[in-house]
Amino acid sequence: MPLPSQVHPDIPTTPNVPLIKPVVALGPTESVIATATPVIPIDPIEQSKRLAAYQAVDHHVKPEHRIIGIGSGSTVPYVVERIVQQGAAVNKGRVFIPTGFQSKQLIVEAGLSLGDVDQYPTIDVTLDGADEVDHALNCVKGGGACHLREKVLAEAAQTFILVADHRKNVEYLGTNFASGVPIEVVPFAYAKVLQNLHHILGSPKATLRMAIKKAGPVVTDNGNFVIDAPFGREHMIDPYVIMAQIKMLTGVVEVGLFCKMAKAAYFGNADGSVTVRWQDGKVEQIAAGQTAAGSN
């Protein structure tokens, strides 16, 4: 899987103005417009993801950090891209722990050293994406069915950092990510867990996640199924409670609610600024000209 810089060329800071060349013709000097090759601009959402990822790496991945967790999702390629930009000398001797196939491929293709949480159960810092983050830094993860491994690396990290675009910055979980809380279950128990969700825990629309371009359900890297369980606002005001209730169901392996875990969340905004929400409730705004990507 290529890094974003291998897919999107850097966007010029000045408009693509046609080059005017004077040419001697029959009579007075005329002007011929030589149009440069057009540059395809990066999508604004992708640019916002890059801004947030660069800022998070610059603030939290320090030279002294040797064991680094790499999460999953659409912002993670930009995290790896920025880490590579720190230079070979800094990355020499570092070990990078992936949460799944995507992050493993990114680490390998970037030429970084691959490790495993079995070898390194204590991680200096883990950076990961999110499907949604509320104002208390609780988040929903598991849209990519990696939330079991993501939570292991989040808990193993001394510092856990979230990176996302502005669409994921919400007051309450379930605002934009409407498919529900991802729940990894062992295949043997999925029907029983669905019944519990429908009739006991208050998610009547909970469904087994089905695969696309494959007959049957989604199967995680761990060989399990995934249930998506939407809950109402009354449950999402304090998602820790419903997380604990789901986790107690026999057959549930892990719940895609990450509560009281992140130190900070970085959101890239469409105007080039970055919003940082901290664990203590502080909110920081980094102007467009001061962001890491904006200064490159």
Side-chain angles (χ1 to χ4, degrees):
M1 181 178 295
L3 293 176
S5 59
Q6 297 170 313
V7 178
H8 300 289
D10 290 336
I11 306 306
T13 56
T14 56
N16 185 22
V17 180
L19 178 63
I20 309 298
K21 287 187 174 181
V23 178
V24 177
L26 297 175
T29 300
E30 298 175 351
S31 294
V32 176
I33 300 178
T35 305
T37 302
V39 176
I40 301 174
I42 190 170
D43 178 81
I45 293 297
E46 291 303 309
Q47 179 66 8
S48 71
K49 292 175 183 178
R50 173 183 278 173
L51 290 168
Y54 277 27
Q55 205 72 39
V57 170
D58 289 356
H59 283 184
H60 299 284
V61 183
K62 300 300 183 182
E64 63 269 21
H65 292 152
R66 313 315 296 161
I67 313 299
I68 300 167
I70 301 295
S72 309
S74 59
T75 57
V76 173
Y78 300 114
V79 168
V80 176
E81 181 177 84
R82 190 59 166 180
I83 288 172
V84 170
Q85 290 174 9
Q86 290 185 338
V90 174
N91 285 312
K92 184 179 180 180
R94 279 177 168 173
V95 176
F96 296 85
I97 316 297
T99 59
F101 182 83
Q102 176 209 20
S103 47
K104 179 180 178 181
Q105 289 298 104
L106 287 168
I107 292 166
V108 170
E109 292 178 8
L112 302 172
S113 296
L114 184 68
D116 192 273
V117 73
D118 291 346
Q119 302 168 282
Y120 304 97
T122 299
I123 298 172
D124 292 320
V125 57
T126 293
L127 297 99
D128 206 344
D131 296 305
E132 216 169 35
V133 186
D134 70 14
H135 288 184
L137 299 192
N138 301 309
C139 68
V140 175
K141 291 179 56 57
C146 296
H147 52 288
L148 170 58
R149 298 191 180 195
E150 289 170 339
K151 190 171 280 191
V152 170
L153 265 63
E155 289 183 350
Q158 295 180 351
T159 301
F160 178 49
I161 302 297
L162 297 168
V163 185
D165 65 76
H166 57 90
R167 300 172 302 173
K168 314 298 177 64
N169 185 6
V170 297
E171 185 175 1
Y172 298 106
L173 300 181
T175 300
N176 296 328
F177 191 69
S179 58
V181 176
I183 304 166
E184 185 164 346
V185 298
V186 295
F188 175 77
Y190 88 89
K192 192 276 297 185
V193 172
L194 273 174
Q195 186 179 52
N196 293 154
L197 290 165
H198 291 162
H199 302 295
I200 298 175
L201 295 187
S203 182
K205 295 184 179 180
T207 57
L208 184 66
R209 187 184 299 181
M210 304 305 290
I212 299 174
K213 297 185 179 180
K214 169 191 172 297
V218 167
V219 178
T220 71
D221 290 351
N222 314 299
N224 297 315
F225 292 168
V226 176
I227 290 172
D228 292 307
F231 288 94
R233 177 65 52 83
E234 67 277 10
H235 291 99
M236 293 296 101
I237 290 175
D238 183 7
Y240 184 87
V241 174
I242 192 64
M243 180 198 71
Q245 291 174 336
I246 299 170
K247 191 72 180 283
M248 289 298 294
L249 297 176
T250 302
V252 169
V253 179
E254 192 49 76
V255 183
L257 287 170
F258 288 48
C259 301
K260 305 175 184 179
M261 298 180 71
K263 178 179 180 179
Y266 287 70
F267 302 98
N269 300 314
D271 63 358
S273 65
V274 172
T275 300
V276 186
R277 289 192 174 276
W278 295 91
Q279 193 176 45
D280 61 4
K282 184 178 72 173
V283 179
E284 179 183 358
Q285 291 293 140
I286 304 174
Q290 299 174 341
T291 59
S295 61
N296 285 353

